[in-house]
Each structure stands twice: as C-alpha cells, then as structure tokens.
Amino acid sequence: MEENPFWGSGNLENLADNLRDMLHCPVTIEDVNHRLLSYSSHDSHTDPARINTIIQRRVPEKVINRLWQEGIILKLMQGEEPVRIDGIEDIGLGNRVAVSIRKNNEVIGYIWVVDEEARLSDEQLKLLKMAADSARSELLQIHARKKKKQEGYQDFLWQLLSGRFTTREAVEEKFRQLNLEIPASYAAVVFKFKEDISNKIEQRIGYILKTNQHVSVSFFVVVQREIILIVSPYMNKQTLAEKEVSRFIHFFTEEMEEKFNAQNILGASGSVYEELNKAVKSYQEAQEVIRLIERFPSELKGVSSYPELGILRYLDVIFEKKSKEGYEHPAIEKLVKYDKQNKTNLLETLEVYINNDSNVNDAAKVLHVHMNTLNYRIKRIAAITDINLKNTNEKMSLYLDLKLKRLEESTRL
C-alpha cells in the first residue's frame, strides 16, 4: 500500500500548505457547508472566487448556486474521484480540481485546488485523494466538537421557546456562558414539512441553513415535521429587517425544492424583537402564521410573517366572541339559503370578490367567468341581501364573518 505523505501534517493549515508545495497550486479546505477551514498561500494572480472565499470565510452564494446548477456539487457528493472543473468567468471562478472528504458514504468536506493551466497529472490527482484521506480525521474531530456544542445550543433554544427566561439579563448571561454573540435583533422562524424529517433531510436542511447569506441562524432544532430557528442579522448588519427574514424563508423553500426536491414546505416568522426574553412570543406568532396559512391558503398566499397577517391576527378573539353571542351575519344566511334552493354559488362569488378588494377583473379570473357574468352576480347578491358593497364597514364585516364561517367549518372536521 502506497504511503500517504500527508499523514502527520498535524492540522488542516499544514495539510493545505503541504499539498500546495506538492501540486504547486493554491489549496482551500472547506467543510460540507462550504465554510472555509484552511487555505494555503497564493500568488497575486488568483481568481476573485478564491479571494472572496478567504475574505468571507465561506464560498460566495452565487458560486455555490452555479456549482449546483452545473452539477459539480452533486458529482462531488456522489463520487470519490477528483473532479476537474472548467473556469466559469461570470462568477470569477478559474479552473479547479476538487475532491470530497468522506467518512464512508457521507461527505464531510472538500478540498479545492486552483489549477490555472489545467495541468494536474494523474499522479498529482492521486496525491489530492491522499490529502482528502488524511483530512478526514481532523474534520471528524471538528464535527464532534460542533455536535457537542450544538446539543448545548438546542437545550438553550428550548429554554428560550418555553419562556423559562423572564428577563433580558438572564438570557444575556446564558449567551455569555455559551460564548455566543448577543444579537441586536432576532425573529423565530418555523418551517413545516408534509412528512416527518428524516436524518437525511436534516443534513440537507443544515446544508441550506449554513450556506444561506440572508440571515445568521443562531439556533435550530428539528421536531418531527418542523424546523424551529432563531435568526439574527447577517454578518455585520446591526438590525434584522422583516423583509430580510421573508427573503430567507423564500430562499430556503426554493433551495430545498430545487436542490433536494422537497416540496410544499410552509415557512413563517414571528415579529422581529430586540428583547431576548420575547423569543417565546415570536415563536408563538410564527406558529400562528403556519396555522392560518393552512386554513386560508388563498387569502394568505405569499404571506410569511406575523405582521403580514393583518386583521386575521385577531380572528380567534373575534371567533370566541361570535361563538358566545351566537351571531350569524344575515346577508350570509340569505346567500346560503339562496344557493341551496337554486344550486348557485353566490356566497363563493361574494367571498372571492371581497378577497380581491372588489376588483372585478381579478375576481373574474379567479372564478373563471367573464366580467359581465361577475357584474350580474354582484348585482344579484346586492338585491338578495340588501348590502352595500361600496361601504367599507359592511365589506369588512362580511370579510370577517366569511372567514369566521370557514374557521367554524374547519373546527368541525
């Protein structure tokens, strides 16, 4: 068996330097989530992708996405042999050779070599494989340390979400004990899958979370079909904007579908807070968004945050009052009776019309009818119910009562 010249390198920094000396090419070593672990020196002619990776301590998102699109990451994940990569000029990537670092069939990291002249020989590719074999033990130690730390983080997350901390000072003390940076602002985020999350899916989730460059993920935990996260501002940003959280939610669901074919994931966030002891409130708000999206998918299409719920945030309170009073909107009762007797769907027409802010064109598209047909139905509804659909208060009352009716029907199921 050929002796591995990289045994005894000591650490990943020495390994990267030793490999560079043997291959005469710049080297970087990354974990499975494309975070930079070590890198060798390079001359002044290296490409922008390498420079940005070293500065950011991770591979830029646009580079990761392009490598996925080109099938390069998938090829590295599926095989043990080094992969030659032609330069991709528009993302600043020169010629590369890469190899995965593996433990059995699991990829735990990568070694990337800048091969400017595409000249690495078969013997040099063997050296690259040996370097990957040597790097395995060091990466496994790093992984074990991270896993132990992550377990402590998850305990802390559950303490936050259960409301164990009542003061900001108590939370800050725990942050200091765990050597964590205290975020200036944060939000709880929940992703709900259609099925229980397997270990394989959890690994893919971790990959997407750690390669995202929209928010910093302070903590995350998997519970059956849900992922619960605390997110904070990305890198050096001081405050977390709700639009950034929404972009992250969209990014996550899109990446999971495109890269791993995980479909129909619901994502939601609570409000952004500065007070750390309000994590439980943000988490409860995110859960409320998920619950309402499941009950009102058309009305809340595109909604992902608690503030975006609008008046539907108060639906449960209004529902409770309605249940105590036994009130039924007379216009809705008349339309239910009329539809039943005449086999029409005027109540549905009314709800779609109000949902679309009385826009005849938009409502007609949803109902798949001509605008003239819809205008006739609206006049018929007004005649049957004696309501004024130009009156904001009447429309708002009808909107709420229609939602309450659907909420009541769903609770009977």
Side-chain angles (χ1 to χ4, degrees):
M1 191 174 191
E2 192 172 356
E3 184 178 351
N4 188 329
F6 301 103
W7 290 122
S9 292
N11 55 47
L12 293 179
E13 288 76 14
N14 291 339
L15 177 60
D17 286 334
N18 292 342
L19 184 58
R20 182 196 183 283
D21 292 341
M22 291 186 182
L23 302 183
H24 308 291
C25 298
V27 173
T28 55
I29 303 177
E30 305 162 9
D31 68 13
V32 69
N33 299 308
H34 308 293
R35 294 182 184 273
L36 184 64
L37 298 176
S38 67
Y39 61 95
S40 70
S41 59
H42 60 257
D43 59 31
S44 58
H45 301 295
T46 196
D47 59 53
R50 176 176 168 84
I51 293 171
N52 289 332
T53 297
I54 292 171
I55 291 172
Q56 298 177 23
R57 305 296 300 176
R58 65 185 302 162
V59 180
E61 188 174 309
K62 67 177 182 179
V63 176
I64 296 171
N65 289 337
R66 189 61 176 275
L67 293 173
W68 270 100
Q69 288 173 359
E70 299 292 335
I72 294 164
I73 298 292
L74 195 59
K75 192 178 291 186
L76 285 167
M77 294 176 74
Q78 291 175 339
E80 299 180 6
E81 296 301 314
V83 176
R84 293 185 185 272
I85 302 147
D86 293 331
I88 307 174
E89 186 176 347
D90 59 320
I91 58 171
L93 189 80
N95 293 331
R96 292 282 197 282
V97 177
V99 67
S100 58
I101 304 167
R102 315 175 77 89
K103 178 193 176 185
N104 300 325
N105 292 322
E106 180 186 353
V107 176
I108 58 175
Y110 303 97
I111 299 179
W112 297 80
V113 177
V114 180
D115 188 18
E116 294 177 352
E117 299 177 12
R119 57 178 168 72
L120 286 186
S121 65
D122 289 343
E123 286 300 314
Q124 288 175 314
L125 294 180
K126 284 184 182 178
L127 286 172
L128 182 54
K129 284 187 68 176
M130 289 180 181
D133 192 44
S134 180
R136 182 192 305 117
S137 60
E138 183 69 20
L139 259 71
L140 286 173
Q141 290 179 36
I142 293 171
H143 180 73
R145 290 194 295 269
K146 284 184 177 179
K147 184 177 180 181
K148 186 175 181 180
K149 186 182 289 186
Q150 184 65 34
E151 288 171 355
Y153 292 168
Q154 289 185 358
D155 287 342
F156 179 37
L157 175 58
W158 281 120
Q159 291 172 2
L160 277 174
L161 299 182
S162 62
R164 180 175 181 271
F165 301 101
T166 56
T167 66
R168 182 185 181 94
E169 290 74 20
V171 182
E172 289 180 350
E173 177 59 29
K174 191 65 178 180
F175 266 87
R176 283 190 285 270
Q177 289 175 9
L178 293 172
N179 294 317
L180 292 170
E181 184 177 348
I182 299 172
S185 55
Y186 69 94
V189 175
V190 175
F191 291 105
K192 186 172 183 180
F193 289 62
K194 290 296 181 184
E195 298 176 348
D196 286 357
I197 298 169
S198 65
N199 289 334
K200 186 176 182 180
I201 294 296
E202 186 173 347
Q203 290 175 2
R204 293 171 174 177
I205 288 165
Y207 176 85
I208 298 298
L209 295 181
K210 290 169 185 174
T211 55
N212 104 84
Q213 296 180 22
H214 297 274
V215 297
S216 292
V217 179
S218 301
F219 314 95
F220 84 95
V221 66
V222 175
V223 186
Q224 294 181 314
R225 298 184 181 186
E226 292 186 347
I227 322 166
I228 305 163
L229 311 93
I230 297 292
V231 302
S232 54
Y234 184 67
M235 293 188 73
N236 296 323
K237 293 183 179 179
Q238 294 299 310
T239 57
L240 181 66
E242 287 174 358
K243 62 181 179 181
E244 291 171 336
V245 183
S246 295
R247 280 198 291 264
F248 162 68
I249 290 171
H250 177 73
F251 161 83
F252 178 86
T253 54
E254 193 175 67
E255 290 288 288
M256 286 298 294
E257 181 170 357
E258 288 183 1
K259 288 184 171 63
F260 304 119
N261 197 33
Q263 301 178 0
N264 302 315
I265 301 170
L266 295 180
S269 72
S271 302
V272 174
Y273 291 104
E274 294 181 0
E275 300 87 349
L276 288 168
N277 54 308
K278 289 189 176 179
V280 62
K281 185 176 182 182
S282 188
Y283 170 60
Q284 290 169 347
E285 290 172 349
Q287 290 282 15
E288 178 70 358
V289 177
I290 293 285
R291 187 179 70 85
L292 288 173
I293 288 174
E294 289 178 326
R295 292 188 174 182
F296 303 103
S298 58
E299 291 88 342
L300 296 176
K301 186 177 181 181
V303 168
S304 61
S305 71
Y306 189 71
E308 290 178 305
L309 290 177
I311 198 166
L312 292 183
R313 291 198 301 269
Y314 311 110
L315 207 58
D316 283 339
V317 177
I318 302 171
F319 181 75
E320 186 178 347
K321 179 177 174 60
K322 177 182 180 295
S323 299
K324 287 180 180 178
E325 295 179 352
Y327 174 79
E328 298 294 340
H329 198 296
I332 293 175
E333 286 192 305
K334 288 177 182 178
L335 287 177
V336 168
K337 185 178 179 180
Y338 184 90
D339 282 341
K340 188 175 181 179
Q341 290 175 345
N342 297 277
K343 297 183 179 179
T344 54
N345 59 350
L346 293 184
L347 186 65
E348 179 193 5
T349 297
L350 175 63
E351 185 167 11
V352 171
Y353 179 71
I354 295 175
N355 284 347
N356 286 274
D357 197 24
S358 304
N359 186 304
V360 175
N361 185 43
D362 291 345
K365 288 179 181 178
V366 174
L367 292 166
H368 304 291
V369 298
H370 194 275
M371 284 194 294
N372 290 341
T373 301
L374 179 56
N375 278 321
Y376 169 78
R377 290 186 186 176
I378 295 301
K379 289 178 182 177
R380 189 79 190 110
I381 289 168
I384 295 167
T385 62
D386 196 29
I387 55 175
N388 180 8
L389 290 173
K390 293 183 179 179
N391 183 294
T392 303
N393 286 333
E394 283 199 54
K395 274 204 303 183
M396 182 60 71
S397 175
L398 278 167
Y399 177 82
L400 285 172
D401 278 302
L402 285 165
K403 302 311 164 199
L404 291 169
K405 178 178 173 58
R406 286 177 51 194
L407 186 63
E408 187 176 20
E409 289 170 351
S410 68
T411 57
R412 292 177 189 153
L413 297 177

